[in-house]
Amino acid sequence: MSRVSIAPREPIGRAGEILTRPRPDRDRLDAILAAVLARIDHNLAVFTDAFPAPSSQGGVYPAIDNTEWTNGFWTGMLWLAWEASGQDRYREAAEHQVLGFRDRIDNAIAVDHHDLGFLYSLSCVSAWKLTGDLVARDAALAAARKLLERYLPAAGVIQAWGDLSDPAQAGRMIIDCNLNLPLLYWAGEETGEPAFAQAANRHIAQAARHIVRPDASTFHTFFMDPGSGAPLRGTTHQGFSDSSCWARGQAWGVAGFPLVHRYNAEPGLIETAARLANYFLNRLPDDLICCWDLIFADATQPRDSSAAAIAACGLLELARALPLSDPDRETYETAALAMVETLGERYLLPPGPPGTGVLAHAVYHMPNGVGVDEACIWGDYFFLEALMRLTRVWEPYW
Ligand code: GLY
C-alpha cells in the first residue's frame, strides 16, 4: 500500500458547524446507555436460546436460529452489556450462546461466506478476551481457519460470498469484509501462523486500491479475476447504483480501515479512512444521520441509522489513531458524539413487545425491499459500542 500515492482528503465542508455543536454531557450519554440496557433486558428471555433476525418487522425482531451472518451482533451486545453493568445475567446468556457458536462452526452450519468475523469476533473472541473461555477461543480459531479458506492467492482477496467454484461470485470482494479481517489477525497472533496476517494484509491493500474510488467514495463490491488476479469491475449489491456510494459500505470502510490498522501499521490505512470519512461527512443531511445511499444527501430518502452508528464507531477509531495535530481529528470526535446523541434523542424505537429493536430508521437491503425503515441488529450493536467508546476506556472485541 505504501507504494500507492494517496490523494488528499476533500475538506470537510461543514467542519466549523460540526465543531460548534454542543457536546452531550456524560450524564446524557449514561442515560442513553441505560435505555439500551433496558431494551436488552426486555428482550433477554426471547433472545437467549434464539437470536434476533437481521432486521425487524414493524420494529420487532423475529426470533431465529443461529444461521444468519448477523447472529454475533446480539451476543456482542450481551458482552457489552455485561462490561457496562457487571450484571451476570448478560454474561450467562452470552456464555450460553457461545456454545451455539461452537456448534455452528463444528457442524459447518451456514459458514460458507466471509462474515465469520462479524460472527466470531463479537461472540467468541470477546468471550476469550473477557473471560478466558477456551471453548470460545477454539471456536473462533476454527472460524478463522474457515475464513482463510476463502482467500484467493492470485487475486489477493477473501471472496465474500458463494461457493468458491461458483462463477457468478468468483473473485468478488466487498467493503464490508474490512470488519472480518480482525478475526484473521487475531488468529495469527494466537497461533503464531503467518498465513492469517499475510492474507489479511493482501486483502486490505486490494480493498484500498480497488474498492476505494479516486474520489474516496467506495464501490460496495469489486470483482478480481481469481486466476490472473487482474482487477475487473466494481458493482453494487445493496446500493442505489454501481456508481453511487452505498452509505453503509462507506461506513464499513470508515470503521474497518482503522480497526485493521490496530494489527497492520501501514499508515496509508489511516489516511484512506480519513479520506472516506470526509466524503461521508460531506454527504449528510443536517442531523448528520445518513440516507441509505450517499447519492441522497437531502433527506428525502430513508435514513440508515445503522450506517450512522457504524460510522460513529469508525470516526472514534480513526480519531484515536490520528496525531493530536491532525486538522480533522477533533471534527471526527465531535461528529461521532453528535451522531450518537441524535440517535439517542430522535431515533430510539419506543417501548414495544419483547423483541423490539433499539434504533429505528435503518435499512437492510433497499434493492430487495428487505428491512426498509426498520431496526437492524448491527445498528443496535454499533450504537452500544459507540456508547461504550464514549463513556469508558473500552478494548474492542475486533
Ligand atoms: N454486511 C451486509 C450488510 O451490511 O448489509
Side-chain angles (χ1 to χ4, degrees):
M1 248 196 100
S2 47
R3 287 189 301 276
V4 179
S5 69
I6 297 180
R9 307 172 201 170
E10 65 181 30
I12 304 172
R14 64 202 322 173
E17 180 237 312
I18 290 171
L19 284 168
T20 54
R21 288 183 186 229
R23 290 181 166 227
D25 61 22
R26 174 63 193 261
D27 287 350
R28 186 61 211 134
L29 293 172
D30 282 340
I32 297 170
L33 199 149
V36 178
L37 295 187
R39 186 58 50 87
I40 293 174
D41 279 326
H42 188 59
N43 294 344
L44 196 56
V46 186
F47 299 139
T48 293
D49 283 326
F51 292 82
S55 55
S56 65
Q57 293 174 9
V60 181
Y61 291 115
I64 61 165
D65 292 335
N66 195 344
T67 54
E68 270 284 0
W69 69 274
T70 51
N71 291 72
F73 295 115
W74 172 252
T75 313
M77 289 177 75
L78 296 175
W79 286 122
L80 292 174
W82 182 53
E83 282 202 85
S85 69
Q87 295 294 315
D88 281 339
R89 60 183 177 281
Y90 304 121
R91 179 181 55 76
E92 286 160 9
E95 286 177 339
H96 178 72
Q97 295 195 337
V98 163
L99 299 178
F101 281 96
R102 184 188 64 175
D103 182 65
R104 180 167 175 175
I105 193 68
D106 284 354
N107 294 292
I109 299 165
V111 290
D112 286 319
H113 53 73
H114 75 135
D115 289 312
L116 294 163
F118 285 121
L119 287 168
Y120 283 86
S121 292
L122 300 183
S123 64
C124 290
V125 176
S126 49
W128 163 245
K129 287 181 175 176
L130 294 174
T131 72
D133 182 339
L134 286 167
V135 169
R137 178 181 180 276
D138 286 352
L141 286 176
R145 289 192 193 287
K146 186 77 183 159
L147 180 56
L148 191 58
E149 289 174 12
R150 303 187 70 76
Y151 179 64
L152 309 177
V157 304
I158 307 279
Q159 183 175 313
W161 300 315
D163 189 281
L164 294 180
S165 63
D166 175 0
Q169 297 294 346
R172 190 205 285 240
M173 64 171 153
I174 75 173
I175 185 69
D176 323 30
C177 191
N178 283 16
L179 279 285
N180 292 321
L181 300 179
L183 180 68
L184 294 178
Y185 285 112
W186 169 81
E189 287 186 352
E190 288 294 312
T191 62
E193 296 172 30
F196 291 107
Q198 285 165 356
N201 288 344
R202 285 277 320 278
H203 181 103
I204 200 72
Q206 295 290 61
R209 187 184 296 252
H210 299 298
I211 291 190
V212 178
R213 303 184 182 113
D215 66 355
S217 66
T218 46
F219 291 112
H220 182 188
T221 91
F222 195 95
F223 283 91
M224 309 289 292
D225 184 313
S228 71
L232 297 177
R233 66 190 179 283
T235 64
T236 198
H237 180 66
Q238 282 155 271
F240 176 74
S241 73
D242 289 345
S243 58
S244 74
C245 183
W246 179 48
R248 194 157 66 252
Q250 192 79 3
W252 289 135
V254 171
F257 283 111
L259 277 176
V260 166
H261 184 260
R262 286 199 182 230
Y263 297 96
N264 171 345
E266 164 58 53
L269 296 174
I270 292 304
E271 194 48 37
T272 298
R275 295 182 67 237
L276 267 62
N278 292 15
Y279 186 96
F280 184 90
L281 290 170
N282 281 339
R283 286 156 185 85
L284 300 180
D286 286 345
D287 72 354
L288 303 184
I289 307 302
C290 54
C291 296
W292 68 279
D293 192 295
L294 297 180
I295 202 170
F296 309 112
D298 61 0
T300 58
Q301 288 276 323
R303 308 300 182 96
D304 182 2
S305 61
S306 77
I310 296 162
C313 289
L315 291 169
L316 294 171
E317 184 71 18
L318 174 57
R320 172 191 168 277
L322 286 168
L324 290 177
S325 58
D326 185 274
D328 292 333
R329 195 181 144 281
E330 195 184 346
T331 310
Y332 298 147
E333 274 183 356
T334 311
L337 262 168
M339 288 177 190
V340 169
E341 186 188 27
T342 299
L343 292 173
E345 299 285 355
R346 290 191 239 151
Y347 284 74
L348 293 191
L349 276 163
T356 297
V358 175
L359 282 186
H361 307 309
V363 172
Y364 182 7
H365 197 312
M366 179 67 92
N368 284 357
V370 177
V372 176
D373 198 22
E374 290 287 350
C376 289
I377 190 61
W378 55 88
D380 295 357
Y381 170 81
F382 282 99
F383 183 50
L384 183 51
E385 185 186 299
L387 286 161
M388 294 293 280
R389 287 173 179 269
L390 290 170
T391 55
R392 61 208 75 212
V393 177
W394 179 75
E395 273 306 306
Y397 307 155
W398 305 101

